[in-house]
Amino acid sequence: MTAAIELRGVRKEFPGGAVAVDDVSLTVGAGSVFGVVGHSGAGKSTLLRLVNGLEEPTAGSVLLDGQDLAALGERRLRPVRRDIGMIFQQFNLFRSRTVLGNVTYPLRLAGLDRAAARARAEETLDFVGLAGHGKRYPEQLSGGQRQRVGIARALATRPKVLLCDEATSALDPQTTGEVLALLRRVNRELGVTILLITHEMEVVRTLCDRVAVMEDGRVVESGEVYEVFARPAHPTTAAFVRSALHGEPDGPLLERLRARHPGRLVTVPVVDGAAVLDDLSPLLRENGVDFTLVHGGVAEVRGRPLGSVTLALRGGDAAVEAVVRGLAAPAQREAGVR
Ligand SMILES: Nc1ncnc2c1ncn2[C@@H]1O[C@H](COP(=O)(O)OP(=O)(O)OP(=O)(O)O)[C@@H](O)[C@H]1O
Ligand SMILES: [Mg+2]
């Protein structure tokens, strides 16, 4: 797979000494959706600004389509920049321009005449589901509609790459879902490579092919989304994954579950390819053990099931012990049964 974006050992240190990005290397394949998650201050926005050339790296290099940005002069950088669209958390629309005016703006800058710009803008507004809204002003639109205008403006010049900086963080869950569905169409139907940054793992779960987790300017973990969700290696990643999946209950929740449910609590992971749950039913039957489902859930991550369920097992001590031991066989231990 060719790389649409490649960062090689990129560092960004601001005057005054703040290091926002520290030795980051990552590759975004052409036509893929790549997510970067991290807490506030992790360096995500700076990373995007390095990719679109708004910031220059202190060390390392940023390559777009194999071209090192630093090696291009301002004149040769311009057409490369035109291949990159960007959308923002606060939409960043021109309030004094109509929807159509917002979308034609980058087209006029790119040299299209009035009629051609208008035709392209209307076509793009149609794609994002805003046909007929061209004469309205941003403040007359809902947040979701405003972000659609943002997406139309970013796509109007037909860029190869779309950068999204917390594009859904200001939206409610339903509107977020609609915008994510639109971004998926942008990727699948238009073939646009998407690099998005977010602090919401839910966005990564529904949209991304690969993910990198950033902390203090560094990438602490990266990989294919299902693998990272199923087997997070870094504690920060694990915490992000827990925010999007029902994991093993701990702390006060575990205390409450123990108080509420007599019997032994067992958490069984649901991981595609590790058939722990399939073993459960015969084990319970053979040992005459009953159960109550007390916590958990199974989500779909990139079309595959992932999650965990916590059961309260009821039966004779020896029978319950036999079930737990059966579940804790080596294959299951690998899958994380506790
Ligand atoms: N222009 C700048 N000058 C000095 N320090 C900066 C500058 N821009 C960012 N920083 C610092 O770099 C670090 C990373 O900032 P950045 O905005 O990239 O984080 P972020 O991950 O996008 O955070 P958030 O989720 O809050 O948007 C922060 O400590 C920030 O204070
Ligand atoms: Mg930011």
Side-chain angles (χ1 to χ4, degrees):
M1 189 162 55
T2 42
I5 303 167
E6 192 179 347
L7 274 68
R8 291 184 188 159
V10 172
R11 177 182 173 88
K12 180 63 190 181
E13 182 173 342
F14 287 107
V19 179
V21 171
D22 193 5
D23 195 22
V24 166
S25 297
L26 54 84
T27 302
V28 182
S32 71
V33 183
F34 194 106
V36 176
V37 287
H39 295 296
S40 190
K44 307 182 299 293
S45 294
T46 305
L47 187 83
L48 281 198
R49 293 169 62 80
L50 286 158
V51 171
N52 69 9
L54 286 174
E55 301 280 4
E56 280 179 27
T58 315
S61 43
V62 179
L63 292 86
L64 290 176
D65 252 343
Q67 302 186 87
D68 188 339
L69 292 189
L72 301 169
E74 186 58 33
R75 192 176 54 85
R76 283 162 66 215
L77 190 60
R78 234 174 286 142
V80 174
R81 274 223 191 96
R82 216 171 285 150
D83 271 344
I84 306 176
M86 184 148 175
I87 58 173
F88 307 87
Q89 178 171 3
Q90 297 302 335
F91 323 126
N92 296 20
L93 301 177
F94 300 114
R95 296 179 53 195
S96 61
R97 291 174 194 261
T98 61
V99 167
L100 197 63
N102 268 277
V103 182
T104 50
Y105 182 81
L107 294 167
R108 297 286 281 154
L109 275 190
L112 270 70
D113 69 35
R114 198 179 293 274
R118 192 187 166 107
R120 175 81 70 81
E122 280 175 348
E123 183 188 318
T124 315
L125 283 169
D126 191 30
F127 179 82
V128 302
L130 286 178
H133 288 68
K135 291 211 172 83
R136 297 170 78 183
Y137 284 86
E139 63 192 21
Q140 298 172 308
L141 304 176
S142 69
Q145 289 173 325
R146 283 180 212 186
Q147 192 58 291
R148 285 169 190 274
V149 177
I151 292 169
R153 185 180 59 181
L155 292 179
T157 52
R158 299 191 177 151
K160 292 184 197 152
V161 169
L162 181 65
L163 307 178
C164 310
D165 190 341
E166 300 280 4
T168 56
S169 299
L171 305 174
D172 64 59
Q174 187 187 330
T175 312
T176 291
E178 289 164 10
V179 169
L180 294 181
L182 173 58
L183 290 176
R184 182 175 298 115
R185 282 180 54 222
V186 168
N187 174 248
R188 301 242 171 106
E189 294 174 26
L190 306 179
V192 172
T193 304
I194 297 180
L195 173 58
L196 68 86
I197 64 175
T198 182
H199 60 267
E200 296 169 316
M201 211 54 173
E202 197 54 29
V203 171
V204 174
R205 181 178 76 79
T206 42
L207 195 59
C208 296
D209 301 306
R210 297 182 72 81
V211 61
V213 182
M214 272 186 93
E215 188 166 76
D216 293 335
R218 292 178 162 267
V219 171
V220 295
E221 183 163 2
S222 67
E224 194 272 322
V225 165
Y226 191 89
E227 290 308 314
V228 170
F229 270 70
R231 283 171 274 274
H234 191 277
T236 304
T237 313
F240 271 112
V241 169
R242 273 199 298 278
S243 68
L245 294 177
H246 282 281
E248 191 182 337
D250 54 9
L253 172 60
L254 185 58
E255 298 295 309
R256 286 199 299 280
L257 292 174
R258 285 223 168 94
R260 207 180 297 151
H261 302 282
R264 177 130 167 213
L265 295 190
V266 179
T267 296
V268 181
V270 179
V271 181
D272 196 19
V276 183
L277 260 194
D278 298 347
D279 297 345
L280 182 64
S281 171
L283 268 172
L284 292 170
R285 214 179 314 117
E286 283 159 22
N287 293 286
V289 169
D290 257 339
F291 73 91
T292 308
L293 185 52
V294 301
H295 186 73
V298 181
E300 193 177 44
V301 179
R302 301 191 48 68
R304 298 161 68 190
L306 187 63
S308 72
V309 292
T310 301
L311 312 169
L313 303 181
R314 292 186 314 274
D317 285 352
V320 168
E321 184 58 29
V323 171
V324 172
R325 242 183 299 117
L327 285 173
Q332 281 79 343
R333 253 201 314 283
E334 200 166 292
V337 173
R338 267 167 277 257

